[in-house]
Amino acid sequence: MPFRNRYTGLIDRYRDRLPVSDDTRIISLGEGNTPLIRLHNIPKLLGKQVDIYVKYEGLNPTGSFKDRGMTMAVTKAVEEGSKAIICASTGNTSAAAAAYAARAGITAFVLIPDGKIAMGKLAQAMMYGAITLQIKGNFDDGMRLVKEVAGEAPVTIVNSVNPYRLQGQKTAAFEIIEELGRAPDYHCLPVGNAGNITAHWIGYCEYSSASGEHVTEACAYCNGKCAYAGGAIVGNRPKMVGYQAAGSAPFLRGHMVDHPETIATAIRIGHPQSWDRAWNVMEESGGWFAEVTDAEILAAQKMLTQYEGVFCEPASAASLAGAIKDIQSGKIPEGSSLVLTLTGNGLKDPDTAIAQCQGKATLLTIDATLDQVKRAILDNMR
């Protein structure tokens, strides 16, 4: 007997808004439906009257927002008869591609930068059974190779150049509106390849439409195939704000960056594949791009864990680091509501997390006696 209220993934939940039919075999791991957590302590620390929510995408099945797009990309690849998928990745895409390929019973090939991937992500790709190719180059080299090989081998690309990826990722915007009852005033995201900020804008445009005037903002990305093509804007949409790491910030430089560097490996991308679309999102939403340093990213990651109990990977913390700067400067005014996307789980990059705690009184070695335990407790009470 089926469970009437069992959640079965975002495609089933939003089937009428996604390019699938009743006969489509859905490849799902129960992705989506991630928590929207209101921050209580950080706004007080900032001394500002702002409502800040974090969309914790790190609680997707493989620990990142990539699962939203991958369920759609792999579902459509299988529907079209593909037996193998391929992607270039800084880690999260490879983990998601490998997991959904395993679920579908097809092969995943992933290209990753040699020595430039967090160990948690590499472990996932390997455990899920992907054929993992470490290249002596960066993500942008991998992306170039993936595009080239897809023209000569029977594989389907599942990077964000695959339009079905963005269709899956747009559902995060649906969930946010449904939970808040409206769109936030600002939506802040870390930006690497820029597909996610584009996907969120598609989602906000589609959700805020109704029958009437044509919605060019949404349909420009889906070639008129979106569920809400032909609608008129009736709801609010947020200003979209994208934050990049200072060492990997092509949108701030105004041109591609050949050798990006940042501790935030998930956004260490110098040649974003959604370059033009992301610029369009900023213009249409009235938002902006800004940059944050690695030190600011790590400080925000630590702040989020210590004051709110939410553990995200460094790239995710770029959204908080940037939002703090813009709130403090007044660019984001008091009284605003913000949603910050936390793209990945902190367990993706345990080495960076542990390195931040070295030399601090959080890991103590003591004798196995009652007196020693009591002393440690009394000495370290808040």
Side-chain angles (χ1 to χ4, degrees):
M1 178 178 176
F3 294 99
R4 181 175 298 176
N5 296 319
R6 188 171 72 89
Y7 180 79
T8 54
L10 64 86
I11 296 180
D12 277 342
R13 180 174 180 180
Y14 297 111
R15 184 179 286 268
D16 62 329
R17 300 177 186 178
L18 294 168
V20 293
S21 69
D22 291 340
D23 297 329
T24 302
R25 176 193 168 201
I26 306 303
I27 310 301
S28 174
L29 290 167
E31 59 294 311
N33 200 29
T34 55
L36 185 66
I37 304 168
R38 186 176 185 179
L39 301 188
H40 294 301
N41 300 317
I42 289 176
K44 294 177 184 176
L45 290 173
L46 299 178
K48 301 291 185 179
Q49 295 296 317
V50 287
D51 274 338
I52 306 177
Y53 298 84
V54 292
K55 184 64 168 167
Y56 192 19
E57 292 291 271
L59 292 187
N60 274 298
T62 76
S64 87
F65 78 96
K66 303 288 187 177
D67 295 346
R68 287 185 185 272
M70 205 58 67
T71 183
M72 272 300 307
V74 175
T75 290
K76 296 301 287 187
V78 170
E79 185 176 53
E80 294 165 3
S82 182
K83 301 298 183 184
I85 59 174
I86 190 169
C87 68
S89 179
T90 56
N92 283 331
T93 300
S94 64
Y100 283 83
R103 182 74 164 171
I106 62 176
T107 304
F109 296 93
V110 300
L111 276 67
I112 61 173
D114 186 13
K116 297 288 187 177
I117 179 173
M119 288 296 100
K121 302 172 186 181
L122 178 59
Q124 285 182 288
M126 295 174 68
M127 283 296 289
Y128 290 132
I131 308 301
T132 305
L133 309 175
Q134 293 192 103
I135 61 169
K136 296 179 179 178
N138 60 23
F139 169 84
D140 301 310
D141 295 318
M143 195 67 240
R144 172 181 54 81
L145 289 166
V146 162
K147 288 179 175 179
E148 291 173 357
V149 76
E152 301 185 14
V155 292
T156 298
I157 299 178
V158 291
N159 283 101
S160 58
V161 294
N162 182 319
Y164 299 118
R165 278 278 307 275
L166 301 189
Q167 286 293 300
Q169 287 166 216
K170 74 183 182 184
T171 60
F174 297 167
E175 293 177 9
I176 290 165
I177 293 173
E178 288 168 358
E179 189 157 346
L180 292 181
R182 65 187 297 275
D185 298 318
Y186 298 87
H187 190 124
C188 306
L189 301 95
V191 172
N193 223 17
N196 207 27
I197 199 165
T198 303
H200 276 75
W201 185 239
I202 294 171
Y204 283 123
C205 288
E206 290 187 12
Y207 208 97
S208 65
S209 64
S211 61
E213 184 181 346
H214 190 64
V215 185
T216 56
E217 291 89 346
C219 299
Y221 304 119
C222 64
N223 298 317
K225 297 178 181 178
C226 68
Y228 287 80
I233 301 303
V234 295
N236 68 307
R237 294 174 296 169
K239 290 180 172 63
M240 304 297 291
V241 186
Y243 296 111
Q244 296 205 283
S248 180
F251 286 102
L252 279 302
R253 307 294 170 257
H255 57 77
M256 301 300 184
V257 175
D258 288 336
H259 302 290
E261 285 298 336
T262 172
I263 193 71
T265 57
I267 54 173
R268 189 191 282 145
I269 297 171
H271 290 244
Q273 296 299 304
S274 294
W275 176 265
D276 291 335
R277 290 182 293 191
W279 281 115
N280 288 339
V281 167
M282 290 308 166
E283 180 179 354
E284 292 166 4
S285 74
W288 61 87
F289 290 112
E291 62 185 292
V292 288
T293 66
D294 279 4
E296 289 168 334
I297 288 171
L298 293 177
Q301 182 193 28
K302 197 69 179 293
M303 178 184 290
L304 197 55
T305 53
Q306 289 192 327
Y307 291 102
E308 301 288 356
V310 179
F311 186 24
C312 67
E313 67 171 316
S316 300
S319 60
L320 177 61
I324 287 173
K325 292 175 72 172
D326 285 336
I327 291 167
Q328 291 177 327
S329 72
K331 192 169 187 178
I332 295 177
E334 291 200 63
S336 298
S337 62
L338 296 75
V339 169
L340 282 53
T341 297
L342 302 183
T343 47
N345 197 295
L347 294 175
K348 293 277 192 171
D349 190 356
D351 293 343
T352 298
I354 292 171
Q356 286 196 74
C357 301
Q358 296 296 328
K360 299 179 181 179
T362 53
L363 180 63
L364 306 175
T365 301
I366 61 174
D367 293 332
T369 66
L370 177 58
D371 285 344
Q372 287 283 297
V373 174
K374 285 172 59 179
R375 181 179 297 276
I377 290 172
L378 295 174
D379 288 349
N380 290 281
M381 295 287 286
R382 291 192 178 188

